[in-house]
Amino acid sequence: MTIIGIVLSMTLFTAVLEGAWSGLVFMRDIESHLSGEYHGLLQNVSPETVSKVRKLDSVQKTEEFREVGFAKVNKDSKSDPYLCILSADRKNGLMPVSVISGRMPKNNRELLVSSNMANSSNSEYRKIRVGDTIKLTVGTRSFKRKQLLNSDSYQKGEKLNNTDQRTYTVVGICQRPSDDLVSLNLPGFVALTTDDKGDGVTNIAFTLKNPYLYNHTVKNTPELSNAVSHTYLLKFYGIFSEGSSLKTVIDGLVLVLIVMILFGSVSLIYNSFAISVNERIRQYGMLRSLGATKKQIRSSVYYEAMILSAIGIPIGLLIGCAGIGITLYALSPTFDMYAKGTGCHIHLVLSPVIIAAILLCLIMALLSAVKPANRAVRISPIDAVRQSGEVSIDKSGRKAGEKALRRGHFYSAMAKKNYCRNRKRSRSTVFSIFLSVVLFISASSFVEGISKEVDNSIAQGTSADVIAQLYSKQYSEEINRLWDQYKSEEQVSEASMYMEADVAEKVFPVKQAYLTDEFIENTYIDNGQVNLNIGFLDDDTFKKLCQENGLSAKKYMDAEKPVGIIYNQQRYVDGSGKSIRFKVIKQNAFPVKAGSVTIGSEIKEKPWFETDVSRVYFPISAMKAVYGEDIMSSGKQDIDMSCQMYFKTGDHERMTSELDDQIKSENLNGDVIDQAESSMSMRMMVFAARVFIYGFIILISLIAAANVFNIISTGVILRKREFAMLRSVGMSRRGLRKMLKAESLQYGTKALVIGIPVAILISFAIWRIVSVNIESAFYLPVVPIVIAIAVVFAVIFISMHFAEKRISAANLIDALKDENI
């Protein structure tokens, strides 16, 4: 049983460590593919700093993006007048550059242009294509004799200095580079060239030879002290910023996990050693009487622990690696779906940390042998041979079971006396069961809580299969044409278009007097009013929405005098993770004025594609009346429009591909989301997480069950002389069973009475740790508690039954002799 304990413990350590390490490497590969391999980025530094960074011993690779200059591509615009040209040194490929069409530039007369310039209605180079030649006046930005960089927003009165005429050939179109590389404050667009010395301002990306020491290295290296960290990648190296809530969650969960494994493993191995030593206590006494020293006895116990570890640890290591390897292989289609388009695949990656796990398991085995070894040398040879120290009965023990005996419950009374005869052994048994209950319930509670939150998140999301997102400065004919083309496709069962407009100085405030108290308590009120979200639905969807909510479509679809409708439900998750729903506008307040528009009524049924968000709806045909004539004008600087097209379709993959190609061919600014695949991917990832966590629970439960079985069965077998004496004075086998069942009920009941409340408290503590970073409600682990109760009594009764059969099969005379040598 000791070898089984060591094997199970090492298997659990190996499975957890190798599974976590393989997952981290997989996520690291995906993040490197999507956002780049760089660890840090120095922005707007001089050539001297670049040279110093290259020579640092701690730096492994570098990649430079030199600022060539700026060219005006939209003279009338103040928000995005410039094209910022960067010269990229791409030999190491640390920063991601996603080429949509064409290729990377090969010299300083070729350009790779960002798609937001090619798609923008503001750019003079709109509809630019690969192969086009453009002439640009390139220079440096300055304001009041100070050079402005790509991180500086537009300043009224700024100028271009040191200009020269350049001719470029467009060789490709790419996605806009990372925000770390090109600031969101940049008043314009981005293009990349290569082999250009630039104007002296450089962004340099770097990787470290030891990324695990990133924070220490950056803090203690002056040249890297101002680096922008690649936080999305570094977190998969275990590197977080100081005070990170995510780090708190991970550290807390890792601590709980380690404590669970250590408690379960140490308990099983220790109890196995203790029982093994107890079985041979007479043997050790005889060896002592023949001249063996205490040191020799202690060394023999430690030597046994070393031999058992030498057998159990390799077996556990192999089983753990094989188990997690097979699991990862079986789940690889699930993970491939998550990593779609990156070419990354999950597989078993051997971690150097496994050496620490081997040493930890060995140390656990040796530590578990310390107390049994000390007991073997402390007991005198005479007491060891007589085994007189096995039972110690105090005054309360002698009186134990008297009440049960007076009620005629003889077997219950005997069970109670047996419990008190050896309190150490009895408490050890109860503690082992208690530990098993706590481990199972708390781990199961954590899994179910997270799973329910993910299921709720998916359920509360949109029910659309495909979403096309488009951005423009006005409601264009291209958007209208795209909508008309795809809404009536044969595979499309339902389609809706939703639009929002951000028009400067155009807001729709509702006075506080019309708002519910619950909404006011959970919302920021500015000057006694709140600005509501205004959205526009295609006319067919709006008409259907009115009909579903029993409203007159004619009244609410007047394009000249529009009246809005509001989904009057808001969902809010409070600090304890509890989900709260409340109305936004008082039910008896309608119609309500919201700025220049009127909200005529509330609706209980929201649009089919919407999430749980309160919003005011108008038909698209009323957009001009709500916002004014400018909304349909081309290229207005103070208007930003977003359009989402939602589709339910039987072939989401084909539709996503076709829509994406259409948007690119029309040079529209937008993208397509395969929501059906995203939801499927999330569900598959939850399934994978359940497989891993329930695998952990099964291993922990096996350790716990083995521990309980070992303690109870061996404890009963060691009392065979006692049971033989009872049988010799007339106790039947049936009576023996009744007494053992009564003992089983005592062990199980005591352990459950203590274990269930403690497990609930630990489950609550785990939830508090997780809720620091993830909003969720606390789930009382009712099902795990019921399962734990059933399994505990099942394991105890099976253990007792196994031991009872062994005892009953033994010869009565041999049992009374109790020769365990």
Side-chain angles (χ1 to χ4, degrees), residues 104-144:
M104 290 292 297
K106 296 180 179 179
N107 56 60
N108 60 4
R109 292 302 171 188
E110 294 181 343
L111 275 188
L112 181 71
V113 180
S114 62
S115 60
N116 60 336
M117 172 181 165
N119 297 333
S120 174
S121 59
N122 292 341
S123 171
E124 294 174 8
Y125 294 93
R126 187 174 185 242
K127 305 289 184 183
I128 198 169
R129 296 288 191 274
V130 174
D132 290 352
T133 299
I134 57 176
K135 293 181 179 181
L136 300 171
T137 301
V138 181
T140 57
R141 295 168 60 205
S142 67
F143 179 67
K144 295 181 179 180

Side-chain angles (χ1 to χ4, degrees), residues 462 464-471 478-479 482-483 486-487 495-499 608-609 641-649 652 655-664 668-676:
T462 180
D465 295 322
V466 178
I467 306 171
Q469 300 181 139
L470 302 167
Y471 309 95
E478 289 91 342
I479 293 176
L482 193 71
W483 168 242
Y486 282 95
K487 72 176 182 180
S496 292
M497 181 165 64
Y498 172 82
M499 298 192 75
W608 65 272
F609 59 84
M641 297 195 68
S642 65
C643 170
Q644 288 86 39
M645 300 178 189
Y646 298 90
F647 302 96
K648 271 188 180 180
T649 175
H652 58 90
M655 189 170 192
T656 300
S657 176
E658 289 184 3
L659 261 172
D660 191 51
D661 292 341
Q662 186 81 7
I663 288 172
K664 288 175 181 176
L668 295 172
N669 185 17
D671 52 22
V672 183
I673 300 171
D674 192 337
Q675 189 64 34

Side-chain angles (χ1 to χ4, degrees), residues 524-544:
Y524 174 69
I525 306 295
D526 184 18
N527 294 325
Q529 58 189 20
V530 171
N531 295 323
L532 298 182
N533 294 327
I534 300 289
F536 298 86
L537 299 171
D538 66 277
D539 287 8
D540 290 339
T541 300
F542 188 86
K543 183 177 181 180
K544 183 179 178 182

Side-chain angles (χ1 to χ4, degrees), residues 412-445:
S412 297
M414 289 297 295
K416 183 68 176 175
K417 285 184 178 294
N418 286 332
Y419 181 89
C420 295
R421 286 177 69 244
N422 192 335
R423 290 187 183 276
K424 283 186 179 179
R425 185 182 62 206
S426 301
R427 286 169 181 167
S428 177
T429 304
V430 170
F431 178 75
S432 298
I433 301 169
F434 157 81
L435 191 62
S436 308
V437 169
V438 170
L439 291 174
F440 177 78
I441 293 176
S442 54
S444 299
S445 173

Side-chain angles (χ1 to χ4, degrees), residues 284 286-297:
Y284 290 130
M286 293 184 67
L287 289 173
R288 289 283 307 281
S289 67
L290 294 172
T293 64
K294 291 183 178 182
K295 183 178 180 181
Q296 288 173 328
I297 297 295

Side-chain angles (χ1 to χ4, degrees), residues 5 11 16 47 72 111 136 228 299 343 391 394 497 517 526 604 646 746 757 802:
T11 299
V16 170
K72 280 202 171 184
L111 275 188
L136 300 171
V228 176
S299 297
V391 176
D394 55 17
M497 181 165 64
D517 294 338
D526 184 18
K604 294 181 180 178
Y646 298 90
Q746 280 190 83
F802 169 79

Side-chain angles (χ1 to χ4, degrees), residues 337-398:
M337 183 180 295
Y338 180 78
K340 189 174 182 180
T342 65
C344 301
H345 303 281
I346 195 165
H347 58 279
L348 178 64
V349 181
L350 294 179
S351 164
V353 184
I354 201 65
I355 297 172
I358 292 171
L359 293 175
L360 183 61
C361 197
L362 178 61
I363 291 169
M364 279 196 318
L366 293 175
L367 290 176
S368 299
V370 170
K371 192 172 180 181
N374 289 337
R375 184 174 183 277
V377 299
R378 275 201 308 264
I379 191 168
S380 69
I382 295 175
D383 288 339
V385 172
R386 293 173 58 193
Q387 293 184 317
S388 58
E390 290 300 299
V391 176
S392 175
I393 306 176
D394 55 17
K395 186 177 180 181
S396 62
R398 285 191 290 270

